[in-house]
Amino acid sequence: MNQIQAISMTESGQQTAFLYQQAQRHLQEGNSHQARLLFQEIIKLQPDFALSYQGLGEIWRSQGNLSPSLRCYLKALELQPDLIGADFLLNLGSEFSENNQVEEAILCYNKALQIDNNHTKSYLNLGVMWRKKGEPSKALALYQQALALDPNLPSAYFNLGNVFLEQERLDEAIVAYLETLMIQPDFESAYLNLGQALIRKNRIGEGLACAIHLITHSLLTEFIPSVSDTAISSKFTTYRNGQYIEINLKSPVKLWPPKTYNNSLHSYFRWEIYQNPETFVTWIPSGRAWGDSYSTAVINSEGRFIDQLCQGSASTLAISEKLPPPTPLEGTTAFLSVRGGNTYYHWMADLLPRIKLLELAGIKLETIDFFVVNSRHLHFQRETLNLLGIPNHKIIENSQFPHIKTPNLVVPSLPGDVGLMSPWTCQFMRESFLHKAATQGLQTPDRIYISRRHASYRRILNEDETIARLSPYGFVPIVLESLSFLEQVALFANAKAIIAPHGAGLTNTVFCNPGTQLIEIFARDMVSVNYWVVSNIIGLDYAYLIGESLDEYKTPTSIPRRYYNHPLYEDILVNLDSLVNLMHYSGMIENRNRSDCHRTHSSG
């Protein structure tokens, strides 16, 4: 018998039941004010009716009045202990936590544990609250209780690591963060905090590697007792031990030195010949594959990782015994995911060309049952897959299913060296997309400045001043995130002169016409050859400028400076006089001060 039936046996109970049903009707109609008045009337009439306190609590909660809401729920719980579950109190506690109401959150989590003393997440969240209150010993004990109940809880290890880091127990922190990443290999904050622990131990190189989501072998063998170099190497094999087709697409590229202003040529640009690596497609019966934002792995039926088809921290995956179980996929599955596959550059340069490799191996795309990619939640991912004829119902996202297994796994190699496009990948992208963009008939400016204002890193700090200086020369600022994929293709195909900070938007230079002029701007300590190589393949007129030291810059900039944990992400300060002089020298605008610029060749 429920509570409504029980009270309806008396006259006052019948009135209470009637009022409760009226209150529920008002709630369904969205009239919370009238429902609240009725619940309050019920409480006066029948003070021990738990459902009225619960209903009143829900109204206060929906209006953001958490404290009176909690009082109502606690009264309901006192009157009817089985009315409210541990999960409900966990969620309510999380709301208090988000509002920085620590004491109320603690009360919720404690009540949840009174209902269910095996409620793992309540132990974990309670530990977080005690850490906020400056009680690390209590927090540690609670995290350990959570792990005793669930040894595969990455957030518990992560929080353990945070307490150890605060206490300068650096070795223990490192172990805790490694344990976190062996359960959830794309746990961004675990990488960052692990890097901090290593830097505090003066292991700068390993710390910086963590900032770009790479775990060195030395860390694993030093801090995980069961792991040795032999144990790691025994987990790997080569694709040549299976069925594969080599596809000869090697094509050496002559690299002409770039133009630059008033500066000796950076050592990265002394490279003379680029030779892209071998490519192949391999078949793996009863194979498995793992993909996340930072690491990928392909695994044969014997549980060995295919070395040439792994990226990122694959050794961490190989030694882990706590990864989620694989999701089975029937039929033939093509694994395309790549490290960084949620970024525009790596999606375009590393992932999409793998589809072409399948075709070059003689595989008809319609015979493939599933295509595994990092995700398709970004517009450019959906648009490019659609343009290449990959049906939506065949796409499997690693963001939803990081670990898959299939009877027939087919895997193309990476199309080239990571971070570098090859002549054939450039040709593939131009043939696949240029003519489709041309049919759009878009009118775009021919002199463009690419803005990273909305990016989270590598921004031009004095961008307003830069745009103002470029505007008289006809340059139009463009935010690429505001354009569709084909609009970006058309923009670059029509451009005659481009100025941009180093970033993924310059992937679109692959769609430029030969002879297009490009000035790429780098941070002081972050120079890359990606788009110089593309420029040499396509035949662009490439120049570069290195930004000023940020430490010496005192004048306010148009965008506030942020601080990053790796030079890869550092913001850029442009010397505008140097930029204009380089524009003159490179021929973007009328030549002058030619003697101030450095040019290492007169052709190409």
Side-chain angles (χ1 to χ4, degrees):
M1 181 182 297
N2 63 36
Q3 196 173 12
I4 291 286
Q5 292 170 328
I7 66 168
S8 296
M9 297 177 69
T10 66
E11 184 177 344
S12 64
Q14 290 175 358
Q15 185 179 0
T16 297
F18 174 75
L19 292 174
Y20 181 78
Q21 290 165 355
Q22 290 292 102
Q24 290 296 320
R25 181 175 60 80
H26 282 301
L27 281 179
Q28 291 171 0
E29 293 173 353
N31 189 353
S32 59
H33 174 72
Q34 190 61 38
R36 176 172 60 82
L37 294 176
L38 287 171
F39 284 131
Q40 289 170 335
E41 186 176 344
I42 293 170
I43 289 170
K44 291 178 183 178
L45 180 67
Q46 190 93 25
D48 61 349
F49 186 57
L51 291 175
S52 59
Y53 293 98
Q54 182 190 39
L56 191 55
E58 289 172 356
I59 291 173
W60 289 128
R61 185 184 183 191
S62 68
Q63 295 174 350
N65 297 317
L66 292 179
S67 294
S69 172
L70 177 59
R71 288 194 294 271
C72 290
Y73 287 132
L74 292 178
K75 184 63 178 179
L77 198 59
E78 176 189 328
L79 293 169
Q80 188 177 336
D82 63 346
L83 186 60
I84 296 174
D87 285 343
F88 178 88
L89 287 162
L90 172 73
N91 293 333
L92 184 61
S94 297
E95 290 182 43
F96 279 112
S97 175
E98 290 169 6
N99 284 280
N100 206 32
Q101 295 176 260
V102 174
E103 297 297 339
E104 291 86 348
I106 288 175
L107 180 57
C108 289
Y109 298 139
N110 278 325
K111 285 292 182 182
L113 290 170
Q114 288 175 13
I115 295 170
D116 180 2
N117 63 4
N118 290 326
H119 204 248
T120 306
K121 291 183 179 178
S122 289
Y123 283 113
L124 175 62
N125 289 9
L126 189 56
V128 173
M129 292 302 99
W130 281 112
R131 181 178 165 225
K132 277 190 175 182
K133 283 175 65 69
E135 297 275 3
S137 297
K138 288 184 179 179
L140 284 174
L142 287 160
Y143 298 149
Q144 288 161 346
Q145 282 180 285
L147 286 171
L149 293 168
D150 184 359
N152 293 334
L153 193 62
S155 51
Y157 282 111
F158 175 70
N159 281 291
L160 273 177
N162 291 341
V163 174
F164 290 142
L165 187 61
E166 288 174 355
Q167 297 176 336
E168 291 295 320
R169 296 160 65 177
L170 298 180
D171 286 0
E172 291 169 278
I174 290 169
V175 171
Y177 292 134
L178 289 174
E179 290 282 0
T180 305
L181 291 168
M182 284 192 286
I183 302 169
Q184 186 177 333
D186 62 350
F187 200 128
E188 167 79 11
S189 296
Y191 277 109
L192 299 180
N193 291 7
L194 175 58
Q196 287 299 311
L198 290 163
I199 288 171
R200 291 188 195 182
K201 286 176 68 70
N202 203 34
R203 296 170 70 154
I204 307 300
E206 290 168 308
L208 290 176
C210 289
I212 55 173
H213 316 107
L214 293 172
I215 304 297
T216 62
H217 282 197
S218 60
L219 277 184
L220 298 173
T221 56
E222 180 178 350
F223 289 96
I224 307 298
S226 60
V227 175
S228 64
D229 286 330
T230 302
I232 293 175
S233 62
S234 68
K235 293 282 189 178
F236 288 84
T237 186
T238 175
Y239 77 92
R240 293 181 181 276
N241 291 334
Q243 179 187 357
Y244 65 93
I245 294 178
E246 286 192 14
I247 302 169
N248 184 12
L249 297 171
K250 289 186 176 181
S251 180
V253 178
K254 169 66 178 174
L255 300 174
W256 296 100
K259 302 171 183 176
T260 187
Y261 168 72
N262 196 23
N263 189 22
S264 60
L265 195 66
H266 193 281
S267 60
Y268 286 8
F269 296 109
R270 300 185 189 280
W271 198 7
E272 295 182 355
I273 298 289
Y274 169 54
Q275 176 67 68
N276 55 296
E278 65 181 4
T279 49
F280 59 90
V281 173
T282 185
W283 284 261
I284 304 167
S286 301
R288 291 187 288 129
W290 174 277
D292 61 52
S293 297
Y294 312 128
S295 299
T296 62
V298 175
I299 310 148
N300 67 17
S301 59
E302 299 172 348
R304 300 183 73 188
F305 288 56
I306 313 300
D307 189 45
Q308 298 90 337
L309 298 175
C310 294
Q311 289 182 279
S313 300
S315 295
T316 308
L317 302 173
I319 66 170
S320 175
E321 297 179 355
K322 297 182 177 181
L323 296 177
T327 299
L329 298 174
E330 295 301 323
T332 298
T333 300
F335 184 74
L336 305 178
S337 292
V338 296
R339 170 176 161 85
N342 286 325
T343 64
Y344 188 70
Y345 179 84
H346 290 290
W347 178 270
M348 297 291 292
D350 297 335
L351 189 148
L352 292 185
R354 301 179 90 175
I355 296 172
K356 182 64 174 179
L357 287 177
L358 293 173
E359 295 177 324
L360 292 173
I363 300 172
K364 294 182 178 180
L365 298 185
E366 57 267 25
T367 65
I368 295 176
D369 297 292
F370 299 105
F371 297 84
V372 180
V373 300
N374 297 78
S375 72
R376 58 177 171 184
H377 74 280
L378 297 171
H379 191 274
F380 69 81
Q381 294 171 326
R382 297 191 300 273
E383 192 172 353
T384 51
L385 289 172
N386 180 60
L387 289 168
L388 291 172
I390 307 298
N392 279 337
H393 70 275
K394 289 190 174 186
I395 298 171
I396 301 295
E397 300 174 88
N398 275 144
S399 58
Q400 302 295 318
F401 306 101
H403 195 183
I404 61 99
K405 66 177 180 181
T406 182
N408 186 24
L409 182 64
V410 56
V411 188
S413 68
L414 289 170
D417 294 303
V418 174
L420 294 175
M421 292 193 207
S422 303
W424 75 268
T425 61
C426 293
Q427 180 182 359
F428 160 71
M429 283 195 283
R430 292 174 69 85
E431 291 176 350
S432 298
F433 303 121
L434 266 176
H435 68 285
K436 294 173 182 175
T439 62
Q440 306 292 304
L442 300 171
Q443 298 296 315
T444 58
D446 61 5
R447 298 167 77 79
I448 57 175
Y449 164 78
I450 305 301
S451 171
R452 286 181 58 87
R453 179 178 290 271
H454 301 308
S456 58
Y457 58 88
R458 208 182 306 124
R459 305 159 305 154
I460 299 289
L461 295 179
N462 55 334
E463 182 165 84
D464 289 347
E465 299 92 326
T466 301
I467 292 171
R469 193 71 174 268
L470 293 176
S471 180
Y473 301 109
F475 281 84
V476 177
I478 301 289
V479 177
L480 293 176
E481 293 90 338
S482 65
L483 305 178
S484 71
F485 170 68
L486 284 183
E487 286 173 335
Q488 292 185 50
V489 174
L491 176 71
F492 279 76
N494 295 333
K496 295 179 180 177
I498 303 166
I499 297 175
H502 174 71
L506 285 176
T507 307
N508 294 304
T509 54
V510 73
F511 302 117
C512 289
N513 288 311
T516 300
Q517 296 174 303
L518 169 63
I519 294 178
E520 183 175 13
I521 306 172
F522 296 106
R524 171 65 62 177
D525 298 317
M526 180 57 213
V527 175
S528 169
V529 300
N530 303 48
Y531 305 116
W532 172 55
V533 171
V534 172
S535 295
N536 276 279
I537 293 171
I538 303 298
L540 310 184
D541 189 358
Y542 179 91
Y544 75 93
L545 180 71
I546 295 179
E548 299 294 287
S549 170
L550 297 180
D551 294 332
E552 297 176 3
Y553 191 76
K554 306 298 181 185
T555 306
T557 57
S558 54
I559 297 176
R561 182 186 176 185
R562 296 174 184 165
Y563 292 86
Y564 303 91
N565 52 17
H566 194 280
L568 175 67
Y569 307 114
E570 190 59 78
D571 291 329
I572 304 169
L573 178 66
V574 179
N575 184 311
L576 299 179
D577 289 336
S578 296
L579 175 59
V580 171
N581 280 323
L582 180 56
M583 292 165 65
H584 278 290
Y585 181 76
S586 65
M588 276 190 178
I589 54 180
E590 184 181 350
N591 287 327
R592 68 176 182 148
N593 295 337
R594 198 174 177 87
S595 61
D596 289 337
C597 293
H598 174 71
R599 174 70 160 158
T600 56
H601 69 290
S602 57
S603 62

